[in-house]
Amino acid sequence: MYSKTVMDHFKNPRNVGEIKEADGIGKVGNPVCGDVMWVYIKVKNNKITNIKFKTFGCVSAIATTSMLTEIAKGKTLEQAEKITRDDVAKALGGLPSIKMHCSNLAADALKKAINDYRKKGNNS
Amino acid sequence: MQDEGEKMIIYLDNGATTMIDTEVIKEMTPYFTEKYGNASSLHMMGVWARQAVEESRTTIAKSIGAKDDEIIFTSGGTESNNFAIKGIAFANKDKGKHIITTKIEHDCVLNSCKWLQTQGFEITYLPVDKEGYVRPEDLEKAIRKDTILVSIIHGNNEIGTIQDLKKLGEICKKNNVYFHTDACQSYTKTELDVKKQNLDLITLNAHKIHGPKGVGVLYLKKGVKITPWQHGGGHEFKMRSGTENVHGIVGFAKAVNLAMNTKHAKHMTKLRDKLIDEVMKKIPDTLLNGPKGDNRLCNNVNLSFLYVEGEAIGAYLDAERICSSTGSACSSKSLEPSHVLIAIGLKPEQAHGSLRLTLSRFTTEEEINKTLKVLPGIIEKLRKMSPLTKLVKKML
């Protein structure tokens, strides 16, 4: 059902954890629906220098957040904002259609983290 | 344990299906290549097949205290449940169009009932208590003058609750309403007796008890008014047409003979309780879904691990070559959590973290020990990854 890349990111998720003094945090999902994703970012010179995540959810929820953090690391905020669910799904070698909402959520979590950073007003 | 390459597979999904016992295969084999006749044929091949079918019928009839001609062979549990519910509904619609079932039935019962609703029937779905029991007083209250059938699952496939069929059957008898039970999970694991439990119809199948897939039974008490659904050559006392699945039927009966031994239930009960007790001791914030003790299916363990999700638990177990299942929404096609877990009052987030481990008579203590060794680490890893763990800890 899942691609090799999905299973690799699920079994060995990249960038799990929190950033204590994060510049932006994005929280999406709802435990009732079975997916909650929190993304933490550290920003320097308009670039994402560090990114971590925590996820409550299924195999694809964990794999998509893991892959998202890999894609976003080192990107400028403008580049990172443009990451779509299809980018994440493609990088994972595809997702079952019923699980596509997971990659949607992951991309949303990153956008929220970037907005949070900008709201804090330290986008100098 | 089953050998698959170098590593062993630990199969703890016997509620889904079981390994066919090699003794069953041996019994079935001649009916593929030597005695492959059609049981309706008059020549010797036909006679051998007929004999085999009738002997099998007797075995199964005896196992539930029924008469031979009350046993109708079908293609499995789904067909038997469809036949029972729709067959009773259409044969008795002059008396009434009301049917009572529960919120914790298998999908084939629930969806048969839902379909009947589109045909003008009215269905009452009884609630259950937090351990999954139907309250007899709820059944009593729900029965109306136009009620024609009560269908209640015997041993629940997800949480293992065994209903008190005797008590529920008495209520049906008193009110002159047909009583059907889906006993696919409980058959041979706990007592099932058509007289003691006042049963009019029972669904049974073979593949949950180390028999072949694709064969089942509907017990039909003499005199029950039912409409056949599968029309054709008039097989099975004109109740279910279609050439008999002779090898399947032979395998089913052999499986019953092998399973009807109380030592198996004792063995499974011991391992079940060890698994439940040790997991609850080793892993904090764990809920047992379903009851404890003798009124739980001897092979069923269902636990909810808070703050984590069941499909992920199952995938990590799978990586350790342990087969399990979950009631999480993420594992289902509908993305809805298990209706059974919701019916016993679990919050969706608790249902998402559910894990079902179902044993068989072939499950060994070594396999349970291995499972107990890896499960705590898996839950810990997932909890470390989960933001819910932190949220809850903050609240405390």
Side-chain angles (χ1 to χ4, degrees):
Chain A
M1 166 178 188
Y2 290 117
S3 73
K4 268 189 182 162
T5 320
V6 170
M7 287 313 289
D8 176 42
H9 274 263
F10 167 67
K11 284 182 195 167
N12 312 292
R14 281 57 149 184
N15 307 308
V16 175
E18 295 165 38
I19 298 174
K20 275 218 172 114
E21 283 167 9
D23 295 322
I25 302 175
K27 298 178 179 181
V28 295
N30 183 336
V32 174
C33 307
D35 305 287
V36 178
M37 297 172 181
W38 290 8
V39 169
Y40 301 77
I41 52 170
K42 200 85 189 156
V43 180
K44 208 174 174 185
N45 299 330
N46 201 44
K47 270 189 181 170
I48 296 176
T49 53
N50 196 9
I51 180 164
K52 298 252 183 205
F53 81 93
K54 281 203 155 185
T55 288
F56 160 76
C58 63
V59 173
S60 71
I62 290 169
T64 49
T65 3
S66 169
M67 180 53 92
L68 171 90
T69 59
E70 287 266 273
I71 299 174
K73 207 179 226 175
K75 291 246 181 348
T76 67
L77 295 182
E78 290 71 29
Q79 288 170 329
E81 264 179 325
K82 283 184 193 136
I83 299 171
T84 65
R85 69 175 200 167
D86 290 332
D87 296 332
V88 179
K90 214 183 262 173
L92 284 168
L95 276 176
S97 57
I98 198 165
K99 300 282 190 176
M100 278 305 283
H101 69 281
C102 293
S103 55
N104 224 357
L105 269 182
D108 285 351
L110 177 60
K111 278 184 199 113
K112 268 200 165 178
I114 294 171
N115 284 343
D116 182 49
Y117 163 75
R118 286 186 175 143
K119 239 188 268 164
K120 284 176 182 164
N122 41 5
N123 47 343
S124 49
Chain B
M1 271 185 238
Q2 284 153 50
D3 211 350
E4 208 239 28
E6 283 173 17
K7 283 189 184 165
M8 298 294 197
I9 293 176
I10 298 177
Y11 185 77
L12 297 179
D13 198 16
N14 291 281
T17 193
T18 59
M19 177 186 86
I20 304 188
D21 192 315
T22 50
E23 292 288 311
V24 170
I25 298 172
K26 242 189 254 168
E27 200 80 12
M28 290 169 72
T29 306
Y31 296 92
F32 288 104
T33 52
E34 294 162 31
K35 304 179 182 177
Y36 52 82
N38 184 322
S40 299
S41 298
L42 297 176
H43 48 66
M44 66 187 104
M45 284 284 223
V47 172
W48 292 334
R50 172 57 56 203
Q51 259 172 3
V53 168
E54 295 316 317
E55 279 168 22
S56 302
R57 198 187 305 280
T58 303
T59 299
I60 292 168
K62 271 189 186 157
S63 74
I64 55 171
K67 295 184 201 87
D68 288 6
D69 57 359
E70 295 175 320
I71 300 296
I72 311 296
F73 286 110
T74 68
S75 66
T78 292
E79 187 194 323
S80 294
N81 281 335
N82 271 267
F83 180 13
I85 293 164
K86 297 175 187 171
I88 291 290
F90 278 82
N92 297 277
K93 61 175 191 264
D94 292 340
K95 184 193 165 194
K97 294 184 114 182
H98 180 236
I99 291 171
I100 298 170
T101 186
T102 78
K103 290 185 173 172
I104 61 163
E105 299 299 313
H106 188 276
D107 280 342
C108 62
V109 168
L110 291 178
N111 288 331
S112 293
C113 288
K114 272 185 202 154
W115 179 77
L116 281 176
Q117 283 177 297
T118 70
Q119 304 297 308
F121 289 85
E122 210 183 313
I123 316 286
T124 299
Y125 299 91
L126 293 177
V128 293
D129 67 15
K130 64 184 194 322
E131 289 187 323
Y133 293 107
V134 174
R135 299 176 198 87
E137 60 270 28
D138 285 348
L139 174 60
E140 190 109 48
K141 267 187 252 160
I143 295 179
R144 316 188 310 213
K145 265 192 188 145
D146 60 341
T147 306
I148 49 175
L149 174 70
V150 172
S151 178
I152 296 176
I153 190 167
H154 188 201
N156 185 268
N157 50 314
E158 292 191 39
I159 56 171
T161 311
I162 300 174
Q163 302 294 337
D164 187 347
L165 292 185
K166 191 168 177 277
K167 211 176 247 174
L168 300 168
E170 275 165 12
I171 295 171
C172 295
K173 196 178 179 185
K174 195 177 77 187
N175 289 282
N176 201 22
V177 176
Y178 289 137
F179 186 35
H180 166 248
T181 192
D182 171 4
C184 287
Q185 295 284 342
S186 60
Y187 185 38
T188 71
K189 292 188 180 73
T190 187
E191 192 184 35
L192 190 61
D193 186 292
V194 301
K195 286 190 192 73
K196 277 191 207 164
Q197 291 157 327
N198 287 308
L199 287 154
D200 298 300
L201 306 103
I202 307 174
T203 292
L204 304 173
N205 77 353
H207 77 98
K208 310 283 191 199
I209 57 167
H210 306 286
K213 293 169 184 64
V215 58
V217 152
L218 181 66
Y219 158 75
L220 253 187
K221 190 181 180 176
K222 260 249 155 89
V224 166
K225 209 174 145 198
I226 190 165
T227 305
W229 278 91
Q230 193 155 308
H231 302 100
H235 306 76
E236 299 298 294
F237 316 107
K238 299 200 171 109
M239 280 298 152
R240 197 272 187 186
S241 288
T243 298
E244 293 88 345
N245 172 5
V246 180
H247 52 271
I249 289 168
V250 166
F252 191 178
K254 182 66 181 177
V256 171
N257 270 332
L258 292 169
M260 296 290 278
N261 184 332
T262 49
K263 80 171 186 205
H264 298 319
K266 266 187 204 151
H267 170 74
M268 288 184 264
T269 304
K270 194 185 118 204
L271 294 182
R272 174 199 72 184
D273 289 343
K274 177 176 179 164
L275 187 53
I276 292 173
D277 293 345
E278 295 278 308
V279 170
M280 303 282 282
K281 216 189 296 167
K282 284 183 179 183
I283 308 176
D285 298 337
T286 302
L287 309 172
L288 174 68
N289 301 318
K292 268 191 149 177
D294 290 343
N295 288 326
R296 183 185 193 99
L297 287 174
C298 61
N299 70 331
N300 175 290
V301 175
N302 190 315
L303 300 156
S304 279
F305 300 100
L306 304 185
Y307 331 128
V308 296
E309 191 278 329
E311 192 210 45
I313 304 170
Y316 275 130
L317 282 171
D318 197 42
E320 298 283 347
R321 308 180 79 72
I322 299 172
C323 302
S324 64
S325 73
T326 174
S328 164
C330 301
S331 70
S332 73
K333 289 182 195 117
S334 62
L335 296 182
E336 292 288 333
S338 144
H339 63 276
V340 176
L341 297 177
I342 298 301
I344 60 169
L346 257 61
K347 292 180 186 146
E349 57 268 39
Q350 295 170 327
H352 292 315
S354 75
L355 177 73
R356 184 185 75 164
L357 300 167
T358 39
L359 324 184
S360 83
R361 64 171 182 260
F362 297 107
T363 305
T364 65
E365 182 141 24
E366 194 192 345
E367 291 176 316
I368 297 301
N369 289 340
K370 166 89 196 287
T371 307
L372 284 166
K373 214 170 141 189
V374 300
L375 190 56
I378 290 171
I379 303 300
E380 204 190 325
K381 182 172 179 178
L382 285 167
R383 280 183 177 167
K384 273 191 182 154
M385 232 186 274
S386 168
L388 302 188
T389 315
K390 188 182 168 181
L391 273 181
V392 173
K393 293 232 162 97
K394 253 189 189 166
M395 271 155 44
L396 293 174

